[in-house]
Coordinates of all heavy atoms in Angstrom, one line a residue:
M1 N 12.1 -19.7 6.0 CA 13.2 -18.8 6.1 C 13.9 -18.5 4.7 O 14.2 -19.5 4.0 CB 14.2 -19.2 7.1 CG 15.4 -18.3 7.4 SD 14.8 -17.0 8.4 CE 16.2 -16.4 9.1
G2 N 13.9 -17.3 4.3 CA 14.5 -17.0 3.0 C 16.0 -17.0 3.0 O 16.6 -17.3 4.0
Q3 N 16.6 -16.5 1.9 CA 18.0 -16.5 1.8 C 18.6 -15.2 2.5 O 19.8 -15.2 2.8 CB 18.4 -16.5 0.3 CG 17.9 -17.7 -0.5 CD 18.5 -18.9 0.2 OE1 19.7 -19.1 0.4 NE2 17.6 -19.9 0.5
Y4 N 17.8 -14.2 2.7 CA 18.3 -12.9 3.2 C 17.3 -12.5 4.3 O 16.1 -12.7 4.2 CB 18.4 -11.9 2.2 CG 19.4 -12.2 1.1 CD1 19.0 -12.7 -0.1 CD2 20.7 -12.0 1.3 CE1 19.8 -13.1 -1.1 CE2 21.7 -12.4 0.3 CZ 21.2 -12.9 -0.9 OH 22.1 -13.2 -1.8
Q5 N 17.9 -11.8 5.3 CA 17.1 -11.2 6.4 C 16.3 -10.0 5.9 O 15.2 -9.9 6.3 CB 18.1 -10.8 7.5 CG 17.5 -10.6 8.8 CD 18.6 -10.3 9.8 OE1 19.6 -9.6 9.5 NE2 18.5 -10.8 11.0
R6 N 17.0 -9.3 5.0 CA 16.3 -8.1 4.4 C 16.6 -8.1 2.9 O 17.7 -8.4 2.5 CB 16.7 -6.8 5.1 CG 16.3 -6.6 6.4 CD 16.2 -5.2 6.9 NE 15.5 -5.1 8.1 CZ 16.0 -5.5 9.3 NH1 17.3 -5.9 9.3 NH2 15.3 -5.5 10.4
H7 N 15.6 -7.6 2.2 CA 15.8 -7.4 0.7 C 15.4 -5.9 0.4 O 14.3 -5.5 0.8 CB 14.9 -8.4 0.0 CG 15.4 -8.9 -1.3 ND1 15.1 -10.1 -1.7 CD2 16.2 -8.2 -2.1 CE1 15.8 -10.2 -2.9 NE2 16.4 -9.1 -3.1
V8 N 16.3 -5.3 -0.2 CA 16.1 -3.9 -0.6 C 16.0 -3.7 -2.1 O 16.9 -4.2 -2.8 CB 17.3 -3.0 -0.1 CG1 17.2 -1.5 -0.3 CG2 17.6 -3.3 1.4
F9 N 15.0 -3.0 -2.5 CA 14.8 -2.7 -3.9 C 14.9 -1.2 -4.2 O 14.2 -0.5 -3.6 CB 13.5 -3.3 -4.4 CG 13.4 -4.8 -4.3 CD1 12.8 -5.4 -3.3 CD2 13.9 -5.6 -5.4 CE1 12.7 -6.8 -3.2 CE2 13.8 -7.0 -5.3 CZ 13.2 -7.6 -4.2
V10 N 15.8 -0.9 -5.1 CA 16.0 0.5 -5.4 C 15.5 0.7 -6.9 O 16.0 0.0 -7.8 CB 17.4 1.0 -5.3 CG1 17.6 2.5 -5.6 CG2 17.9 0.7 -3.9
C11 N 14.6 1.6 -7.2 CA 14.1 1.7 -8.5 C 15.1 2.5 -9.4 O 15.5 3.6 -9.2 CB 12.8 2.5 -8.5 SG 12.2 2.9 -10.2
T12 N 15.8 1.6 -10.2 CA 16.8 2.2 -11.1 C 16.4 1.9 -12.5 O 17.3 2.2 -13.4 CB 18.2 1.6 -10.8 OG1 18.1 0.2 -11.0 CG2 18.7 2.0 -9.4
G13 N 15.3 1.3 -12.8 CA 14.9 1.0 -14.1 C 13.8 1.8 -14.7 O 13.6 1.8 -15.9
G14 N 13.0 2.5 -13.8 CA 12.0 3.3 -14.3 C 12.5 4.6 -14.9 O 13.6 5.0 -14.7
K15 N 11.6 5.3 -15.5 CA 12.0 6.6 -16.2 C 12.3 7.7 -15.3 O 13.3 8.5 -15.4 CB 11.0 7.0 -17.3 CG 11.0 6.0 -18.5 CD 10.0 6.5 -19.5 CE 10.1 5.5 -20.7 NZ 8.8 5.5 -21.5
T16 N 11.5 7.9 -14.3 CA 11.7 9.1 -13.5 C 12.7 9.0 -12.4 O 13.5 9.9 -12.1 CB 10.3 9.6 -12.8 OG1 9.8 8.6 -12.0 CG2 9.3 10.0 -13.9
C17 N 12.7 7.8 -11.7 CA 13.8 7.7 -10.6 C 15.2 7.8 -11.2 O 16.0 8.2 -10.5 CB 13.5 6.3 -9.9 SG 12.1 6.3 -8.8
T18 N 15.4 7.3 -12.4 CA 16.8 7.4 -13.0 C 17.1 8.8 -13.1 O 18.3 9.2 -12.9 CB 16.8 6.6 -14.3 OG1 15.8 7.1 -15.2 CG2 16.7 5.1 -14.2
G19 N 16.2 9.6 -13.5 CA 16.4 11.1 -13.6 C 16.6 11.8 -12.3 O 17.0 13.0 -12.2
Q20 N 16.3 11.1 -11.2 CA 16.5 11.6 -9.9 C 17.6 11.0 -9.2 O 17.8 11.0 -8.0 CB 15.2 11.4 -9.1 CG 14.0 12.2 -9.6 CD 12.6 11.7 -9.1 OE1 12.3 10.6 -9.0 NE2 11.8 12.7 -8.6
D21 N 18.6 10.5 -10.0 CA 19.8 9.9 -9.5 C 19.7 8.7 -8.6 O 20.4 8.6 -7.6 CB 20.7 11.0 -8.8 CG 22.2 10.7 -9.0 OD1 22.6 9.7 -9.7 OD2 23.0 11.3 -8.3
S22 N 18.8 7.8 -8.9 CA 18.6 6.6 -8.1 C 19.8 5.7 -8.2 O 20.1 4.9 -7.3 CB 17.4 5.8 -8.5 OG 17.4 5.5 -9.9
A23 N 20.7 5.9 -9.2 CA 21.9 5.1 -9.3 C 22.8 5.4 -8.2 O 23.5 4.5 -7.6 CB 22.6 5.4 -10.7
A24 N 22.9 6.7 -7.8 CA 23.7 7.1 -6.6 C 23.1 6.5 -5.3 O 23.9 6.0 -4.5 CB 23.8 8.6 -6.5
T25 N 21.9 6.5 -5.2 CA 21.2 5.9 -4.0 C 21.5 4.4 -3.9 O 21.9 3.9 -2.9 CB 19.7 6.1 -4.1 OG1 19.5 7.5 -4.1 CG2 19.0 5.4 -2.9
F26 N 21.4 3.7 -5.1 CA 21.7 2.3 -5.2 C 23.1 2.0 -4.7 O 23.4 1.2 -3.9 CB 21.4 1.7 -6.5 CG 21.8 0.3 -6.7 CD1 20.9 -0.7 -6.4 CD2 23.1 -0.1 -7.2 CE1 21.3 -2.1 -6.5 CE2 23.4 -1.4 -7.3 CZ 22.6 -2.4 -7.0
A27 N 24.0 2.8 -5.3 CA 25.4 2.6 -5.1 C 25.8 2.8 -3.6 O 26.6 2.0 -3.0 CB 26.3 3.5 -5.9
L28 N 25.2 3.8 -3.0 CA 25.5 4.1 -1.6 C 25.0 3.0 -0.7 O 25.8 2.4 0.2 CB 24.7 5.4 -1.2 CG 24.9 6.0 0.2 CD1 24.1 5.3 1.2 CD2 26.3 6.3 0.5
L29 N 23.8 2.5 -0.9 CA 23.3 1.4 -0.1 C 24.0 0.1 -0.3 O 24.4 -0.6 0.7 CB 21.8 1.1 -0.4 CG 20.8 2.2 0.0 CD1 19.5 2.0 -0.5 CD2 20.8 2.3 1.6
K30 N 24.4 -0.2 -1.5 CA 25.1 -1.4 -1.9 C 26.5 -1.4 -1.2 O 27.0 -2.4 -0.6 CB 25.3 -1.5 -3.4 CG 25.8 -2.8 -3.9 CD 24.7 -3.8 -4.1 CE 25.2 -5.1 -4.7 NZ 24.1 -6.1 -4.8
D31 N 27.2 -0.2 -1.3 CA 28.5 0.0 -0.7 C 28.4 -0.1 0.8 O 29.3 -0.8 1.5 CB 29.1 1.3 -1.0 CG 29.5 1.4 -2.5 OD1 29.5 0.3 -3.3 OD2 29.9 2.5 -3.0
R32 N 27.4 0.5 1.4 CA 27.4 0.5 2.9 C 27.2 -0.9 3.4 O 27.8 -1.3 4.4 CB 26.3 1.5 3.4 CG 26.6 2.9 3.2 CD 27.7 3.4 4.1 NE 28.0 4.8 3.9 CZ 28.9 5.3 2.9 NH1 29.5 4.5 2.2 NH2 28.9 6.6 2.8
V33 N 26.3 -1.6 2.7 CA 26.0 -3.0 3.1 C 27.2 -3.9 3.1 O 27.6 -4.6 3.9 CB 24.8 -3.6 2.3 CG1 24.7 -5.1 2.5 CG2 23.5 -2.9 2.8
R34 N 27.9 -3.8 2.0 CA 29.1 -4.5 1.7 C 30.2 -4.2 2.8 O 30.8 -5.1 3.4 CB 29.7 -4.3 0.2 CG 30.9 -5.2 -0.1 CD 31.6 -4.6 -1.3 NE 32.0 -3.3 -1.0 CZ 31.9 -2.3 -1.9 NH1 31.3 -2.5 -3.0 NH2 32.3 -1.1 -1.6
D35 N 30.4 -2.9 2.9 CA 31.5 -2.5 3.8 C 31.2 -2.8 5.3 O 32.1 -3.0 6.1 CB 31.7 -0.9 3.7 CG 32.2 -0.6 2.3 OD1 32.7 -1.4 1.5 OD2 32.2 0.6 2.0
A36 N 30.0 -2.9 5.6 CA 29.6 -3.3 7.0 C 29.6 -4.8 7.2 O 29.3 -5.3 8.3 CB 28.2 -2.7 7.3
G37 N 29.9 -5.6 6.1 CA 29.8 -7.0 6.3 C 28.5 -7.6 6.3 O 28.3 -8.7 6.8
L38 N 27.5 -6.9 5.9 CA 26.1 -7.4 6.0 C 25.6 -8.0 4.7 O 24.4 -8.5 4.7 CB 25.2 -6.2 6.3 CG 25.3 -5.6 7.7 CD1 24.5 -4.3 7.8 CD2 25.0 -6.6 8.7
A39 N 26.4 -8.1 3.7 CA 25.9 -8.7 2.4 C 25.4 -10.1 2.5 O 24.5 -10.4 1.7 CB 27.1 -8.7 1.4
P40 N 25.8 -10.9 3.4 CA 25.2 -12.3 3.5 C 23.7 -12.1 4.0 O 23.0 -13.2 3.9 CB 26.0 -13.0 4.5 CG 27.4 -12.3 4.5 CD 27.0 -10.8 4.3
H41 N 23.4 -11.1 4.7 CA 22.1 -10.9 5.3 C 21.1 -9.9 4.6 O 20.0 -10.0 4.8 CB 22.3 -10.5 6.8 CG 23.3 -11.4 7.5 ND1 23.0 -12.7 7.8 CD2 24.5 -11.1 7.9 CE1 24.1 -13.2 8.3 NE2 25.0 -12.2 8.5
V42 N 21.8 -8.9 4.0 CA 21.0 -7.9 3.4 C 21.3 -7.9 1.9 O 22.5 -7.6 1.5 CB 21.3 -6.5 4.0 CG1 20.4 -5.5 3.3 CG2 21.0 -6.6 5.5
R43 N 20.3 -8.0 1.0 CA 20.5 -8.0 -0.4 C 19.9 -6.7 -1.0 O 18.7 -6.3 -0.7 CB 19.7 -9.1 -1.0 CG 19.8 -9.3 -2.5 CD 21.2 -9.8 -3.0 NE 21.3 -9.9 -4.4 CZ 22.4 -10.3 -5.0 NH1 23.4 -10.6 -4.3 NH2 22.4 -10.3 -6.3
V44 N 20.8 -6.0 -1.8 CA 20.3 -4.7 -2.4 C 20.2 -5.0 -3.8 O 21.2 -5.3 -4.5 CB 21.3 -3.6 -2.1 CG1 20.8 -2.3 -2.7 CG2 21.5 -3.3 -0.5
N45 N 19.0 -4.8 -4.4 CA 18.8 -5.1 -5.8 C 18.2 -3.9 -6.5 O 17.5 -3.1 -6.0 CB 17.8 -6.3 -6.0 CG 18.4 -7.6 -5.9 OD1 18.2 -8.4 -5.0 ND2 19.2 -7.9 -6.9
H46 N 18.6 -3.8 -7.8 CA 17.9 -2.9 -8.7 C 16.5 -3.3 -8.9 O 16.2 -4.6 -8.8 CB 18.6 -3.0 -10.1 CG 20.0 -2.4 -10.2 ND1 20.3 -1.1 -10.2 CD2 21.2 -3.2 -10.2 CE1 21.6 -1.0 -10.3 NE2 22.2 -2.2 -10.2
S47 N 15.6 -2.4 -9.1 CA 14.2 -2.8 -9.6 C 13.8 -1.9 -10.7 O 14.4 -0.8 -10.9 CB 13.3 -2.7 -8.3 OG 12.6 -1.6 -8.3
G48 N 12.8 -2.4 -11.4 CA 12.2 -1.5 -12.4 C 11.2 -0.6 -11.7 O 11.2 -0.5 -10.4
C49 N 10.4 0.0 -12.4 CA 9.4 0.9 -11.9 C 8.5 0.3 -10.8 O 8.0 -0.8 -10.9 CB 8.5 1.5 -13.0 SG 7.2 2.6 -12.4
L50 N 8.4 1.0 -9.7 CA 7.6 0.6 -8.5 C 6.2 1.2 -8.5 O 5.5 1.1 -7.5 CB 8.4 0.9 -7.2 CG 9.7 0.1 -7.1 CD1 10.5 0.6 -5.9 CD2 9.4 -1.4 -6.7
G51 N 5.9 1.9 -9.6 CA 4.6 2.5 -9.7 C 4.3 3.8 -8.9 O 3.2 4.2 -8.7
Q52 N 5.4 4.4 -8.5 CA 5.4 5.6 -7.7 C 6.2 6.8 -8.4 O 6.8 7.6 -7.7 CB 5.9 5.4 -6.3 CG 5.4 4.2 -5.6 CD 3.9 4.1 -5.4 OE1 3.2 5.1 -5.0 NE2 3.3 2.9 -5.8
C53 N 6.2 6.7 -9.7 CA 7.0 7.7 -10.4 C 6.8 9.1 -10.0 O 5.7 9.6 -9.8 CB 6.6 7.5 -11.9 SG 6.7 5.9 -12.5
G54 N 7.9 9.8 -9.9 CA 7.9 11.3 -9.6 C 8.1 11.4 -8.1 O 8.3 12.5 -7.6
H55 N 8.1 10.4 -7.3 CA 8.4 10.5 -5.9 C 9.8 10.0 -5.5 O 10.1 9.8 -4.3 CB 7.3 9.6 -5.1 CG 5.9 10.1 -5.3 ND1 5.3 11.2 -4.6 CD2 4.9 9.6 -6.1 CE1 4.1 11.3 -5.0 NE2 3.8 10.4 -5.9
G56 N 10.5 9.6 -6.5 CA 11.8 9.0 -6.3 C 12.9 9.8 -5.8 O 12.7 11.0 -5.6
P57 N 14.0 9.2 -5.7 CA 14.2 7.7 -5.9 C 13.4 6.9 -4.8 O 13.5 7.2 -3.7 CB 15.7 7.6 -5.7 CG 16.3 8.9 -6.0 CD 15.3 9.9 -5.5
M58 N 12.8 5.9 -5.4 CA 12.0 5.1 -4.5 C 12.8 3.8 -4.0 O 13.5 3.3 -4.8 CB 10.8 4.5 -5.2 CG 9.7 5.5 -5.5 SD 8.9 6.3 -4.1 CE 8.4 5.0 -3.1
V59 N 12.6 3.5 -2.7 CA 13.3 2.4 -2.1 C 12.3 1.6 -1.3 O 11.5 2.2 -0.6 CB 14.5 2.8 -1.2 CG1 15.1 1.7 -0.5 CG2 15.6 3.5 -2.0
V60 N 12.3 0.3 -1.4 CA 11.5 -0.5 -0.5 C 12.3 -1.6 0.1 O 13.1 -2.1 -0.5 CB 10.2 -1.1 -1.3 CG1 10.6 -2.0 -2.4 CG2 9.3 -1.8 -0.4
V61 N 12.0 -1.8 1.4 CA 12.7 -2.8 2.2 C 11.7 -3.8 2.7 O 10.7 -3.5 3.4 CB 13.4 -2.1 3.4 CG1 14.2 -3.2 4.2 CG2 14.3 -1.0 2.9
Y62 N 12.0 -5.1 2.4 CA 11.2 -6.2 2.9 C 12.1 -7.0 3.9 O 13.3 -7.0 3.8 CB 10.8 -7.2 1.8 CG 9.8 -6.5 0.9 CD1 10.2 -6.1 -0.4 CD2 8.5 -6.3 1.3 CE1 9.3 -5.5 -1.2 CE2 7.5 -5.7 0.5 CZ 7.9 -5.3 -0.8 OH 7.0 -4.7 -1.7
P63 N 11.6 -7.7 4.9 CA 10.2 -8.0 5.1 C 9.3 -6.9 5.7 O 8.1 -7.1 5.9 CB 10.2 -9.3 6.0 CG 11.4 -9.0 6.9 CD 12.4 -8.3 6.0
E64 N 9.9 -5.8 6.1 CA 9.1 -4.8 6.8 C 8.1 -4.1 5.9 O 7.1 -3.4 6.4 CB 10.0 -3.7 7.4 CG 10.8 -4.2 8.6 CD 12.1 -4.9 8.2 OE1 12.3 -4.9 7.0 OE2 12.8 -5.3 9.1
D65 N 8.2 -4.2 4.6 CA 7.3 -3.6 3.6 C 7.4 -2.0 3.9 O 6.4 -1.3 3.9 CB 5.9 -4.1 3.8 CG 5.0 -3.6 2.7 OD1 5.5 -3.3 1.6 OD2 3.8 -3.7 2.9
A66 N 8.6 -1.6 4.1 CA 8.9 -0.1 4.4 C 9.2 0.5 3.1 O 10.2 0.2 2.4 CB 10.0 0.0 5.4
W67 N 8.4 1.5 2.8 CA 8.6 2.2 1.5 C 9.2 3.6 1.8 O 8.7 4.3 2.7 CB 7.3 2.4 0.7 CG 6.8 1.1 0.1 CD1 6.4 0.0 0.8 CD2 6.7 0.8 -1.3 NE1 6.1 -1.0 -0.1 CE2 6.2 -0.5 -1.4 CE3 7.0 1.5 -2.4 CZ2 6.0 -1.1 -2.6 CZ3 6.8 0.9 -3.7 CH2 6.3 -0.4 -3.8
Y68 N 10.2 4.0 1.1 CA 10.8 5.3 1.3 C 10.8 6.1 0.0 O 11.1 5.5 -1.1 CB 12.3 5.2 1.7 CG 12.5 4.5 3.1 CD1 12.9 3.2 3.1 CD2 12.2 5.2 4.3 CE1 13.1 2.6 4.3 CE2 12.4 4.5 5.5 CZ 12.9 3.2 5.5 OH 13.0 2.6 6.7
D69 N 10.5 7.4 0.0 CA 10.5 8.2 -1.2 C 11.6 9.2 -1.1 O 12.1 9.6 -0.1 CB 9.1 8.8 -1.4 CG 8.7 9.7 -0.3 OD1 9.0 9.4 0.9 OD2 8.1 10.8 -0.5
G70 N 11.9 9.8 -2.3 CA 12.8 10.9 -2.3 C 14.2 10.5 -1.7 O 14.8 11.4 -0.9
V71 N 14.6 9.3 -1.9 CA 15.8 8.8 -1.2 C 17.1 9.3 -1.8 O 17.7 8.7 -2.7 CB 15.8 7.3 -1.1 CG1 17.0 6.9 -0.2 CG2 14.5 6.8 -0.4
T72 N 17.5 10.5 -1.4 CA 18.8 11.0 -1.7 C 19.8 10.2 -1.0 O 19.6 9.4 -0.2 CB 18.8 12.5 -1.2 OG1 18.7 12.5 0.2 CG2 17.8 13.4 -1.9
V73 N 21.1 10.5 -1.4 CA 22.2 9.8 -0.7 C 22.2 10.1 0.8 O 22.6 9.2 1.6 CB 23.5 10.0 -1.4 CG1 23.6 9.3 -2.7 CG2 23.9 11.4 -1.4
E74 N 21.8 11.3 1.1 CA 21.8 11.6 2.6 C 20.7 10.8 3.3 O 21.0 10.3 4.3 CB 21.5 13.1 2.8 CG 22.6 14.1 2.2 CD 22.6 14.3 0.8 OE1 21.6 13.9 0.0 OE2 23.6 14.8 0.2
K75 N 19.6 10.7 2.7 CA 18.6 9.9 3.3 C 19.0 8.4 3.3 O 18.7 7.6 4.2 CB 17.2 10.0 2.6 CG 16.6 11.4 2.9 CD 15.2 11.4 2.1 CE 14.6 12.8 2.3 NZ 13.3 13.0 1.6
A76 N 19.6 8.0 2.3 CA 20.1 6.6 2.1 C 21.1 6.2 3.3 O 21.1 5.1 3.8 CB 20.7 6.3 0.8
E77 N 21.9 7.2 3.6 CA 22.9 6.9 4.7 C 22.0 6.6 6.0 O 22.3 5.7 6.7 CB 23.7 8.2 5.0 CG 24.7 8.5 3.9 CD 26.0 7.8 4.1 OE1 26.1 6.8 4.9 OE2 27.0 8.2 3.4
R78 N 21.0 7.4 6.2 CA 20.2 7.2 7.5 C 19.5 5.8 7.4 O 19.4 5.1 8.4 CB 19.2 8.4 7.6 CG 18.6 8.4 8.9 CD 17.9 9.6 9.2 NE 17.0 9.5 10.4 CZ 16.0 10.3 10.8 NH1 15.8 11.3 10.0 NH2 15.3 10.0 11.8
I79 N 18.9 5.5 6.2 CA 18.2 4.2 6.0 C 19.1 3.1 6.3 O 18.8 2.1 6.9 CB 17.5 4.2 4.6 CG1 16.4 5.2 4.6 CG2 17.0 2.7 4.4 CD1 15.8 5.5 3.2
F80 N 20.4 3.2 5.8 CA 21.3 2.1 6.0 C 21.6 2.0 7.5 O 21.5 0.9 8.0 CB 22.7 2.4 5.3 CG 23.7 1.5 5.8 CD1 23.7 0.1 5.5 CD2 24.6 2.0 6.8 CE1 24.6 -0.7 6.1 CE2 25.5 1.1 7.3 CZ 25.6 -0.2 7.0
T81 N 21.9 3.1 8.2 CA 22.3 3.0 9.5 C 21.2 2.5 10.5 O 21.3 1.6 11.2 CB 22.8 4.4 10.0 OG1 23.9 4.8 9.2 CG2 23.3 4.3 11.5
E82 N 20.1 3.2 10.3 CA 19.0 2.9 11.3 C 18.2 1.6 10.9 O 17.8 0.9 11.8 CB 18.0 4.1 11.4 CG 18.8 5.3 11.9 CD 17.9 6.6 12.0 OE1 16.6 6.4 12.2 OE2 18.4 7.7 11.8
H83 N 17.9 1.4 9.6 CA 17.1 0.3 9.3 C 17.9 -1.0 8.9 O 17.7 -2.0 9.5 CB 16.1 0.7 8.1 CG 15.1 -0.2 7.8 ND1 14.0 0.0 7.0 CD2 14.9 -1.6 8.2 CE1 13.2 -1.1 6.9 NE2 13.7 -2.0 7.6
L84 N 18.8 -0.8 7.9 CA 19.5 -2.0 7.5 C 20.5 -2.5 8.5 O 20.6 -3.7 8.6 CB 20.2 -1.7 6.1 CG 19.2 -1.2 5.0 CD1 20.0 -1.0 3.7 CD2 18.0 -2.1 4.9
R85 N 21.2 -1.6 9.2 CA 22.2 -2.0 10.1 C 21.5 -2.3 11.5 O 21.8 -3.4 12.1 CB 23.3 -1.0 10.3 CG 24.5 -1.5 11.1 CD 25.4 -0.4 11.5 NE 24.8 0.4 12.4 CZ 25.4 1.6 12.8 NH1 26.5 2.0 12.4 NH2 24.8 2.4 13.7
D86 N 20.7 -1.3 12.0 CA 20.2 -1.5 13.3 C 18.8 -2.1 13.4 O 18.3 -2.3 14.5 CB 20.2 -0.1 14.0 CG 21.7 0.4 14.1 OD1 22.6 -0.3 14.0 OD2 21.8 1.7 14.4
G87 N 18.2 -2.3 12.3 CA 16.9 -3.0 12.2 C 15.6 -2.2 12.6 O 14.6 -2.8 12.8
V88 N 15.7 -0.9 12.6 CA 14.6 -0.1 12.9 C 14.2 0.8 11.7 O 15.0 1.7 11.3 CB 14.8 0.8 14.1 CG1 13.5 1.6 14.4 CG2 15.3 0.0 15.3
P89 N 13.1 0.6 11.1 CA 12.6 1.5 10.0 C 12.7 2.9 10.3 O 12.4 3.3 11.5 CB 11.2 0.9 9.6 CG 11.2 -0.5 10.1 CD 12.1 -0.5 11.3
V90 N 13.0 3.8 9.4 CA 13.2 5.2 9.7 C 11.8 5.8 9.5 O 11.4 6.2 8.4 CB 14.2 5.9 8.8 CG1 14.4 7.3 9.2 CG2 15.5 5.1 8.8
E91 N 11.1 5.9 10.6 CA 9.7 6.4 10.6 C 9.5 7.7 9.8 O 8.6 7.9 9.1 CB 9.2 6.5 12.0 CG 7.7 6.5 12.2 CD 7.1 5.1 12.2 OE1 7.8 4.1 12.5 OE2 6.0 4.9 11.6
A92 N 10.4 8.6 10.1 CA 10.3 10.0 9.6 C 10.5 10.0 8.2 O 10.1 11.0 7.4 CB 11.4 10.9 10.2
L93 N 11.1 9.0 7.5 CA 11.3 9.0 6.1 C 10.4 8.1 5.3 O 10.4 7.9 4.1 CB 12.8 8.5 5.7 CG 13.9 9.4 6.4 CD1 15.2 8.8 5.9 CD2 13.7 10.9 5.9
L94 N 9.5 7.4 6.0 CA 8.6 6.5 5.3 C 7.6 7.2 4.3 O 7.2 8.3 4.6 CB 7.7 5.7 6.4 CG 8.4 4.7 7.2 CD1 7.5 4.0 8.2 CD2 9.1 3.6 6.3
Y95 N 7.4 6.6 3.3 CA 6.5 7.1 2.2 C 5.0 6.8 2.6 O 4.7 5.7 2.9 CB 6.8 6.3 0.9 CG 6.0 6.6 -0.3 CD1 5.9 7.9 -0.8 CD2 5.4 5.6 -1.0 CE1 5.2 8.2 -2.0 CE2 4.7 5.9 -2.2 CZ 4.6 7.2 -2.6 OH 3.9 7.4 -3.8
V96 N 4.3 7.8 2.6 CA 2.8 7.7 2.9 C 2.0 8.0 1.6 O 2.0 9.1 1.2 CB 2.4 8.6 4.1 CG1 0.9 8.4 4.4 CG2 3.3 8.4 5.3
A97 N 1.3 7.0 1.2 CA 0.5 7.1 0.0 C -0.6 6.0 0.0 O -0.5 5.0 0.7 CB 1.4 7.0 -1.2
P98 N -1.6 6.3 -0.7 CA -2.7 5.2 -0.9 C -2.1 4.0 -1.4 O -1.1 4.1 -2.2 CB -3.8 5.9 -1.7 CG -3.5 7.3 -1.9 CD -2.0 7.5 -1.5
P99 N -2.6 2.8 -1.2 CA -2.2 1.6 -1.7 C -2.2 1.6 -3.3 O -3.1 2.3 -3.8 CB -3.1 0.5 -1.2 CG -3.7 1.1 0.0 CD -3.8 2.6 -0.2
G100 N -1.3 0.9 -3.9 CA -1.3 0.9 -5.4 C -0.5 1.9 -6.1 O 0.5 2.5 -5.4
E101 N -0.8 2.1 -7.3 CA 0.0 3.0 -8.1 C -0.3 4.5 -7.8 O -1.5 4.9 -7.6 CB -0.4 2.8 -9.6 CG 0.6 3.4 -10.6 CD 0.3 2.9 -12.0 OE1 0.7 1.8 -12.3 OE2 -0.4 3.6 -12.7
N102 N 0.8 5.3 -7.7 CA 0.7 6.7 -7.3 C 1.7 7.5 -8.1 O 2.6 8.1 -7.6 CB 1.0 6.9 -5.8 CG -0.1 6.3 -5.0 OD1 -1.2 6.9 -4.9 ND2 0.2 5.2 -4.3
K103 N 1.5 7.4 -9.4 CA 2.4 8.2 -10.3 C 2.0 9.6 -10.4 O 0.8 9.9 -10.5 CB 2.4 7.5 -11.7 CG 2.9 6.1 -11.8 CD 2.9 5.6 -13.1 CE 3.5 4.2 -13.2 NZ 3.5 3.7 -14.6
L104 N 2.9 10.5 -10.3 CA 2.6 11.9 -10.4 C 2.3 12.2 -11.9 O 3.0 11.6 -12.8 CB 3.8 12.8 -10.0 CG 4.0 12.8 -8.5 CD1 5.2 13.7 -8.1 CD2 2.8 13.4 -7.8
P105 N 1.4 13.1 -12.2 CA 1.2 13.4 -13.6 C 2.4 13.9 -14.3 O 3.2 14.7 -13.7 CB 0.0 14.4 -13.6 CG -0.3 14.7 -12.2 CD 0.7 13.9 -11.3
K106 N 2.6 13.7 -15.5 CA 3.8 14.3 -16.2 C 3.5 15.7 -16.5 O 2.5 16.2 -16.7 CB 3.9 13.5 -17.6 CG 4.3 12.1 -17.5 CD 4.6 11.5 -18.9 CE 5.2 10.1 -18.7 NZ 4.4 9.2 -19.4
V107 N 4.6 16.5 -16.4 CA 4.6 17.9 -16.6 C 5.1 18.2 -18.1 O 5.8 17.5 -18.6 CB 5.3 18.8 -15.6 CG1 4.5 18.7 -14.3 CG2 6.8 18.2 -15.3
Ligands
LIG1 S1 10.3 5.2 -12.1 FE1 10.7 4.8 -10.1 S2 8.7 4.4 -9.3 FE2 8.4 4.6 -11.4

């Protein structure tokens, strides 16, 4: 048994997600978890590049191994409510891509 029931990583260290306002996504998730009293159970951490550049902001939640792309603050609200609070991954927002690195070509 680990220290947390869920661990959330928000890419705030890579080059493209930062330009897609991943800081706002991180702040929203961190605030909602704290305000709901879930901080002892759900840890929200910054992460560096998750290898999916251009699809961001990228968020991944363990132990479900649920990956979410394009996580605007609106989507983050839903991920918080349905997944982090209620325990059900948001199927409609899941990132679907081949395993491994899926960076979009630079324009
Ligand atoms: S910069 Fe976020 S996945 Fe690469």
